[in-house]
Amino acid sequence: MAQVLVVEDDQFVRSALIRYLTSSSHAVRSVGTALEALREVAQYSFDVVILDLGLPDLDGSEALKMLRGISDVPVIIATARDDEAEVVRLLNAGADDYVTKPFSGEHLGARLSAVLRRARGGSTPEVFTTGGLRIDTRRREAHLDGRELELTRREFDLLAFLAARAGRVVPRREILAEVWGQAYGDDQTIDVHLSWLRRKLGEKAREPRYLHTVRGVGVKLEPPA
């Protein structure tokens, strides 16, 4: 069971979402505006937020930005905007996944389960060590040469995913599916996060130490030679 906040101004859609989620044994709270959503997240602990983009008081993308300023809670965007560039922008802005309206309850349920699995990280604590890089997936901490790295949730997920497969070239499609929960997407999504990670690891794409891009194939994490 998960604690879910539904942010949707359309009463019909909101009621349908609440019915489906409660029938799936989730505990649900719901609001119809962005400001109400911010108050809820500040006051209560949620496992995931389902955020509509077409809110009456504030555009959903702005609401996402404000939400990210106060919480790291996973966010699934519900949008009627079937525009890939917009989706990529929202994912880069901190969304964890998205569903395009209209969608079925089963589709949303599958997305929700995938986001929760990634956020909870599994039941077995694991520590990955590669060169001077140490990643503790249970504590969600990463250290480089003894110094703790300040990573966003998505950066940590990406780094941990690659570290668990150290020495292997991981295809971009696999990264999108497992880290972002997308069957397809723009490579720019991965490139942007790799760029941020490289900066924090003290390396550059043309002078990689840990993160190596294999052109046309994928990404490999391995310790410096």
Side-chain angles (χ1 to χ4, degrees), residues 133-151:
L133 192 60
R134 184 180 187 276
I135 301 168
D136 187 326
T137 58
R138 183 178 65 84
R139 297 171 65 89
R140 294 188 66 81
E141 293 178 351
H143 291 79
L144 177 62
D145 299 328
R147 174 178 58 85
E148 185 171 0
L149 299 173
E150 294 186 6
L151 305 177

Side-chain angles (χ1 to χ4, degrees), residues 1-222:
M1 184 182 77
Q3 303 290 326
V4 183
L5 174 64
V6 173
V7 187
E8 170 63 64
D9 67 313
D10 185 308
Q11 189 59 51
F12 177 79
V13 175
R14 194 198 311 183
S15 297
L17 288 174
I18 293 171
R19 276 198 308 274
Y20 174 78
L21 292 167
T22 53
S23 71
S24 300
S25 301
H26 298 303
V28 184
R29 293 179 66 88
S30 68
V31 294
T33 69
L35 292 181
E36 287 176 313
L38 292 169
R39 281 197 292 266
E40 287 283 313
V41 170
Q43 186 173 358
Y44 300 101
S45 177
F46 293 100
D47 296 306
V48 65
V49 173
I50 299 172
L51 176 65
D52 175 44
L53 287 188
L55 298 173
D57 59 335
L58 197 63
D59 184 78
S61 59
E62 288 300 314
L64 173 63
K65 186 185 301 182
M66 295 175 69
L67 189 59
R68 276 290 162 259
I70 63 171
S71 175
D72 234 10
V73 63
V75 176
I76 299 175
I77 295 292
T79 176
R81 307 174 192 175
D82 190 14
D83 177 65
E84 187 170 306
E86 173 74 357
V87 168
V88 169
R89 187 177 68 80
L90 290 166
L91 291 170
N92 287 336
D96 293 84
D97 204 346
Y98 72 97
V99 287
T100 303
K101 296 178 180 180
F103 51 83
S104 66
E106 290 73 19
H107 185 174
L108 175 63
R111 296 282 192 175
L112 179 62
S113 296
V115 165
L116 290 171
R117 281 197 304 272
R118 294 196 298 273
R120 291 168 176 170
S123 58
T124 304
E126 290 187 80
V127 176
F128 300 103
T129 303
T130 304
L133 192 60
R134 184 180 187 276
I135 301 168
D136 187 326
T137 58
R138 183 178 65 84
R139 297 171 65 89
R140 294 188 66 81
E141 293 178 351
H143 291 79
L144 177 62
D145 299 328
R147 174 178 58 85
E148 185 171 0
L149 299 173
E150 294 186 6
L151 305 177
T152 66
R153 184 177 65 255
R154 185 72 79 191
E155 289 167 354
F156 182 88
D157 290 344
L158 176 57
L159 186 62
F161 181 75
L162 293 172
R165 296 153 181 80
R168 176 166 79 85
V169 179
V170 184
R172 287 173 175 267
R173 180 172 296 181
E174 183 179 339
I175 294 172
L176 278 171
E178 297 298 328
V179 180
W180 273 269
Q182 300 178 46
Y184 68 94
D186 193 326
D187 281 355
Q188 181 186 359
T189 303
I190 298 174
D191 291 336
V192 167
H193 284 80
L194 284 174
S195 176
W196 292 338
L197 271 178
R198 286 191 172 107
R199 192 174 306 146
K200 294 179 180 181
L201 292 173
E203 62 181 61
K204 300 177 181 178
R206 63 178 179 274
E207 298 175 0
R209 296 180 65 237
Y210 286 92
L211 298 173
H212 300 260
T213 299
V214 180
R215 190 176 297 278
V217 183
V219 183
K220 178 172 65 173
L221 185 147
E222 62 181 5

